[in-house]
Amino acid sequence: MQGRVAVLREYGGEFELREYPVPEVEPGAILVKLTRAGVCGSDLHIWRGEMKDVYGAPPKDLTFGHEMCGRVERLGAGVTTDSNGQPLREGDRITFAYFFPCGRCPVCLQDELGSCPRKARANRVAGTPPYFNNAYGDYYYLRPNHYVYRLPDEISDDIATPVNCALSQVLYGLHRAGLRFGQTAVIQGAGGLGLNAVAVAKDMGADKVIAIDQIPGRLELARAFGADHALSLTELPRPEDRIQAVMDLTGGFGADVVADVVGYPQVIPEGLRMLRSGGCYLEIGNIAPGNMFSYDATALVRGNTRLVATSNYSPWAIPQALAFIRRNLQRLPFERIVSHTFPLERITDAFQQAEWLQREGDPLRISRAALAM
Ligand SMILES: [Zn+2]
Ligand SMILES: [Zn+2]
């Protein structure tokens, strides 16, 4: 049996589909037949070549993708349940973490699995056994010591796709930032991460959530996801105006938590100035090396500012994310987060469209693309 893997040979270029043999499943592992894979903001950074310090220039038969869901194709010996203890059978729909904390280093033992410095990540060179190491292909080889969760029937594949990245990421980030009941949060950026952040912040009991973006369709969607205020970069073109707007909405004190999910470091100084004294700045968006910003360190000290940066998440975020979707399924338009779905053979189109949408916007639709296998 063979399966396809999408391979990128040139940054910004076209993918080619290659076939590899579907591997035997070792004890403790799971072979997943993928049904969906998302084009996450970080995948666009990789495709553009902004991560070439990490993945090499030129790319060497690069395969990637990490946001996904699928069905159990084959269970390795000894795997009988998901991580919640629910029975797991071949054919069951699942979501799972795409990174693998070691579970035994001093950092893991501080209950910080998401920060594990030894966590195993996917090999990104096509043709490396067991071949299906990333999301853009027909299968995914879920190695032993994974975190896997059965998807409830009412959560469709389209809604489940961002669970193991965007949603778990912001849920964990806001938890680490210490957002509490009754507080005010500003979310900089209303893309896939930002919309989830707005909804999670409301679900955590935030009294007021303020979203900021430049695309009218995203601002409208941010409101649909529970934002109390949506600030437009077009209407408030200067950082000063946006900072003032946040101050006006917070009685002149500033927000308790400000989160960056934009992905460009220019927004950080602006966001820091939106914080109340003693507030927390949550940095999630910047993942490409070399994203520098400068800020007055004294202002941070005098403001008693807390800075929290978050990459990946502790795996408990996944079942919490599923529970969050379930209790909000009738209330929030989760089906609108992924706006464009392409078959795997059109993966190049998916990237080109996602790129165009991120840059130009589409007033009617939001910009997350996904692939269907
Ligand atoms: Zn991602
Ligand atoms: Zn560890």
Side-chain angles (χ1 to χ4, degrees):
M1 197 165 63
Q2 305 260 104
R4 300 168 301 168
V5 170
V7 181
L8 187 69
R9 302 191 56 196
E10 194 185 332
Y11 289 123
E14 303 200 348
F15 290 84
E16 68 177 58
L17 293 180
R18 288 195 202 152
E19 300 224 328
Y20 293 101
V22 175
E24 293 298 312
V25 185
E26 72 199 289
I30 298 175
L31 180 67
V32 185
K33 176 77 183 73
L34 293 177
T35 48
R36 291 284 189 285
V39 177
C40 171
S42 54
D43 298 317
L44 286 171
H45 286 297
I46 296 172
W47 181 68
R48 288 186 206 115
E50 291 169 5
M51 309 280 282
K52 59 177 181 290
D53 290 352
V54 185
Y55 303 127
K60 193 173 174 298
D61 289 350
L62 194 62
T63 86
F64 56 104
H66 56 278
E67 195 178 282
M68 59 192 138
C69 64
R71 289 179 181 278
V72 175
E73 176 84 8
R74 233 170 284 146
L75 287 174
V79 186
T80 55
T81 66
D82 73 0
S83 299
N84 271 340
Q86 298 303 306
L88 201 57
R89 298 185 186 88
E90 290 177 355
D92 282 346
R93 299 168 58 243
I94 51 173
T95 181
F96 42 87
Y98 60 88
F99 53 89
F100 305 86
C102 80
R104 58 202 295 269
C105 75
V107 178
C108 284
L109 297 183
Q110 299 280 343
D111 291 340
E112 285 256 15
L113 289 159
S115 309
C116 174
R118 294 185 184 164
K119 67 188 152 206
R121 292 171 182 279
N123 185 298
R124 288 194 167 97
V125 180
T128 308
Y131 307 114
F132 300 94
N133 300 312
N134 295 279
Y136 301 145
D138 285 320
Y139 296 94
Y140 183 79
Y141 189 86
L142 192 55
R143 65 183 83 190
N145 300 318
H146 48 249
Y147 300 90
V148 64
Y149 297 90
R150 238 174 73 187
L151 285 169
D153 291 342
E154 64 267 36
I155 299 180
S156 69
D157 288 348
D158 286 322
I159 292 175
T161 307
V163 164
N164 79 334
C165 176
L167 178 52
S168 292
Q169 182 73 66
V170 296
L171 191 154
Y172 182 63
L174 288 169
H175 170 85
R176 285 188 83 206
L179 179 68
R180 292 201 311 269
F181 193 79
Q183 291 191 325
T184 295
V186 171
I187 310 296
Q188 297 178 283
L193 286 164
L195 294 172
N196 280 302
V198 164
V200 169
K202 284 309 276 187
D203 194 75
M204 287 170 78
D207 177 54
K208 210 176 279 174
V209 174
I210 303 164
I212 306 175
D213 205 285
Q214 61 181 344
I215 301 175
R218 289 182 171 195
L219 291 170
E220 182 263 315
L221 209 40
R223 282 205 184 84
F225 273 90
D228 300 280
H229 304 278
L231 305 183
S232 156
L233 260 70
T234 320
E235 286 164 24
L236 300 168
R238 298 181 313 147
E240 262 55 38
D241 302 331
R242 300 189 285 271
I243 293 163
Q244 189 57 50
V246 170
M247 289 300 157
D248 290 346
L249 291 168
T250 54
F253 285 94
D256 300 290
V257 172
V258 177
D260 162 32
V261 283
V262 173
Y264 293 101
Q266 300 91 301
V267 307
I268 296 174
E270 173 180 335
L272 284 166
R273 290 177 57 202
M274 292 171 174
L275 274 180
R276 72 159 163 86
S277 192
C280 181
Y281 193 76
L282 172 62
E283 174 53 40
I284 293 180
N286 285 283
I287 55 142
N291 284 342
M292 313 293 282
F293 73 98
S294 77
Y295 198 74
D296 180 353
T298 304
L300 297 178
V301 172
R302 293 181 67 91
N304 274 343
T305 308
R306 290 192 301 125
L307 298 173
V308 169
T310 296
S311 139
N312 296 154
Y313 47 82
S314 270
W316 59 254
I318 295 182
Q320 290 219 4
L322 294 174
F324 157 79
I325 291 179
R326 267 179 123 161
R327 68 179 170 267
N328 290 291
L329 203 51
Q330 305 306 322
R331 245 168 35 80
L332 299 175
F334 291 109
E335 69 286 350
R336 291 180 65 192
I337 288 187
V338 171
S339 58
H340 297 63
T341 304
F342 298 81
L344 181 62
E345 49 278 19
R346 289 186 56 209
I347 180 170
T348 303
D349 288 346
F351 271 76
Q352 287 169 349
Q353 287 246 5
E355 176 75 348
W356 180 83
L357 283 161
Q358 199 168 78
R359 215 181 281 147
E360 310 291 330
D362 176 336
L364 299 175
R365 303 215 274 179
I366 168 72
S367 63
R368 212 163 178 88
L371 299 159
M373 285 47 156

